[in-house]
Amino acid sequence: MSFYWQKYCSLSNMTISNNKWWQTGIIYQVYPRSFQDSNGDGIGDLKGVLQRLDHLQWLGIEAIWLSPIYPSPMADFGYDISDYTGIHPLFGSMEDFDALLQAAHERGIKILLDFVPNHTSDQHPWFLESRSSRTNPKRDWYIWKDACQDGSLPNNWLCVFGGNAWEWDENTQQYYYHAFLKEQPDLNWRNPEVETAMLNVMRYWLKKGVDGFRVDVLWYVIKDSQFRDNLPNPDYGDHMPDFEQLLQTYSTEQPEVHDIARKMRNVLEEYDDERVLIAEVYLPLQQLMAYYGTDQKEAHLPFNFQLLSLPWNAKQIATAIETYEAALPATGWPNWVLSNHDRPRIATRAGYQQAKIAAMLLLTLRGTPTIYYGDEIGMQDVLIPLDEIQDPQGLNMPGKDLSRDPSRTPMQWDDTQHAGFTTGKPWLRLSENYAHINVAAEKEDPHSILSLYRRLIHLRKNEPALAAGEYTTVHADDQMLAFTRSLEGAPLFLIVLNLTAQPCQFKLFNFSLKGIVEIATAPEIEGSMVSDEIHLNGNEGLLIRLA
Ligand code: NOJ
């Protein structure tokens, strides 16, 4: 082994091993209802996830984030929890969960749970007690207010899923507050008993061995202590969800939320320093960064959702990447998300052909990628007929096209009936394209997006510059984005992406370019040399190992 090579190996191994698993690894979101059904009831379950661990291991992901699996009346498909420490019978039993956790761990795959601290179900025993009388010891666990003197609502706050955010309780003659459905009353985190109970929920799962949490709507948890009226949103347009008529000036994002985030982080650290806290926070960049904590003691990863809503334009994306990189706190670790269960899928937003380019972007940017189940095979949103819509957001605001069902359809495993997802009737219709867009077919096809995902994931794992190196934009215009990933002592990579269907050309002035195409959207050119000028076809992307 040459001296240079020895030096390179030791440097790069050191850099990768200095990072935590949640920095170099890839997180994969499973929406359990739609992943794999094992008992023919048409709804995915935990045994189904276990059956499909092979796929996830083959793909090379590091951790699974499971959307809620707890007992729930399913008014918001599990985000209305009636028992934080149980398993919904639809998904299986606690034994099934333990078996999944163990099997995943045996394969080196971590399990993250969805932690929903802002609200419970209205069927949670805490709320049933709370609403039973004004003097019940749990009355103050939720947010109860009298009507104003003129009989009107306590304030003007609106519900995310349509209508106002206050529900009248006939029995006790007060309103309770719900930021989401009336079946999802908000907990009162200003009550220390609530805080203790909820932090103990985290401890319950951490003790079982779960590897961390994705925290639902963290920025909602604490509200203005005076419950002042929210201010009007001057940028509101009719196409937007109704609640955006108001800025959420007082109903979310209060300074005290950071104390709560810190306490959640402290709970994780009672166990070991390998557990991860990911926060769902949809806020402008500067506010988002605050969720790392002033001394990095809040969320390890406040979700970076920019790619969910940016126009698919290379220049705008480059600007967003640079702005995000610049805004990160010194030791704050970046992360990227292309799709999730609340937003349209990337293959629908950017187009099926561009889904491969999006994959190359997600898996070569600096920071932890989160893959939404099915994105790896190019699943698209499925048009759900009006009379089949199940999502409350879609049902409550008809005409605004806000249903989230289209991006929650069953995973497409093979070309058998119902795509191998279930032997029963799927809870939500599947895409008709499953005959060719499915795991089994794509696994055999080197040109498939699935093969591309896998090649990218495996290269990223083995190349220190891709796992942990610096990001530098090299070029961005309306069509093309090019950047490097570099790490001292490790091979340097150039990524060139054509974000349009028209061909383009990449040439660097003052720089002689030489390298080998390591990964390409067209695999037949992998291994070929490039120099000086690169011609890209429409929808083409290249990852080049520079000489
Ligand atoms: C955010 C979740 O991602 C979404 O699916 C849910 O409806 C709301 N929080 C309420 O919990």
Side-chain angles (χ1 to χ4, degrees), residues 317-327 336 471-474:
I317 290 176
T319 307
I321 297 168
E322 285 169 13
T323 320
Y324 176 72
E325 284 272 354
W336 298 94
Y471 165 94
T472 311
T473 308
V474 174

Side-chain angles (χ1 to χ4, degrees), residues 443-461:
K443 224 170 161 173
E444 302 304 318
D445 175 5
H447 288 87
S448 70
I449 183 167
L450 179 59
S451 302
L452 178 69
Y453 259 94
R454 185 162 186 265
R455 294 199 302 282
L456 287 163
I457 290 173
H458 285 261
L459 186 70
R460 184 185 168 100
K461 272 192 177 180

Side-chain angles (χ1 to χ4, degrees), residues 31-35 42-45 74 77 90-91 390 421 427:
Y31 193 68
R33 280 186 87 82
S34 293
F35 199 59
I43 297 177
D45 47 45
M74 295 284 167
F77 292 102
L90 273 177
F91 297 129
Q390 304 194 36
F421 164 70
W427 74 280

Side-chain angles (χ1 to χ4, degrees), residues 1-16 459-467 486-493 518 545:
M1 199 187 262
S2 73
F3 172 71
Y4 169 77
W5 185 242
Q6 271 179 354
K7 190 173 158 207
Y8 154 63
C9 286
S10 54
L11 250 180
S12 46
N13 288 340
M14 189 189 78
T15 315
I16 287 200
L459 186 70
R460 184 185 168 100
K461 272 192 177 180
N462 294 316
E463 287 297 344
L466 292 173
S486 59
L487 188 74
E488 204 192 324
L492 171 69
F493 290 92
E518 188 82 32
R545 182 189 293 266

Side-chain angles (χ1 to χ4, degrees), residues 76 79 116 119 161 180 184 214 216-217 280 341-342 404 408:
D76 186 20
Y79 284 93
V116 185
H119 44 269
F161 292 144
F180 296 89
Q184 294 168 294
R214 171 268 190 187
D216 191 65
V217 292
E280 185 203 24
H341 64 295
D342 291 329
R404 298 167 293 178
R408 296 176 174 181

Side-chain angles (χ1 to χ4, degrees), residues 33-106:
R33 280 186 87 82
S34 293
F35 199 59
Q36 176 65 57
D37 176 22
S38 73
N39 61 0
D41 66 358
I43 297 177
D45 47 45
L46 293 174
K47 278 198 174 117
V49 180
L50 188 132
Q51 283 170 20
R52 295 300 186 178
L53 284 180
D54 280 350
H55 168 68
L56 300 177
Q57 190 174 22
W58 172 85
L59 192 59
I61 58 109
E62 190 79 25
I64 300 170
W65 148 34
L66 290 170
S67 287
I69 50 172
Y70 318 102
S72 157
M74 295 284 167
D76 186 20
F77 292 102
Y79 284 93
D80 49 320
I81 296 168
S82 52
D83 174 3
Y84 282 103
T85 53
I87 302 292
H88 196 302
L90 273 177
F91 297 129
S93 62
M94 193 55 88
E95 287 69 44
D96 295 334
F97 176 77
D98 291 339
L100 173 62
L101 186 65
Q102 190 182 341
H105 281 172
E106 280 166 10

